[in-house]
Amino acid sequence: MGAKIARAAFLVTAMMFFAVLALDIAVPTLVLCIMALSTRLVSLDLPVAHKHGGEAA
């Protein structure tokens, strides 16, 4: 009976370890992707309405 409980505890511990390991890889990857996309978005040359020098405000 004790061996079954030990095996079940080991299984649950291993599952938690690998679930956390997957999150440890996925979350920084998501953050880096968002940072890269925001850098691209900011650096785009979007047409902006410019005022000409002689126009009144």
Side-chain angles (χ1 to χ4, degrees):
M1 184 85 179
K4 272 188 166 182
I5 294 173
R7 270 199 312 191
F10 178 73
L11 177 65
V12 169
T13 305
M15 286 171 38
M16 287 174 49
F17 172 76
F18 286 110
V20 170
L21 185 63
L23 285 176
D24 194 35
I25 294 169
V27 171
T29 303
L30 183 65
V31 169
L32 288 174
C33 287
I34 291 171
M35 288 172 60
L37 287 173
S38 65
T39 302
R40 287 251 174 147
L41 184 64
V42 168
S43 66
L44 284 177
D45 190 21
L46 298 175
V48 180
H50 294 286
K51 290 187 175 181
H52 296 288
E55 289 185 9

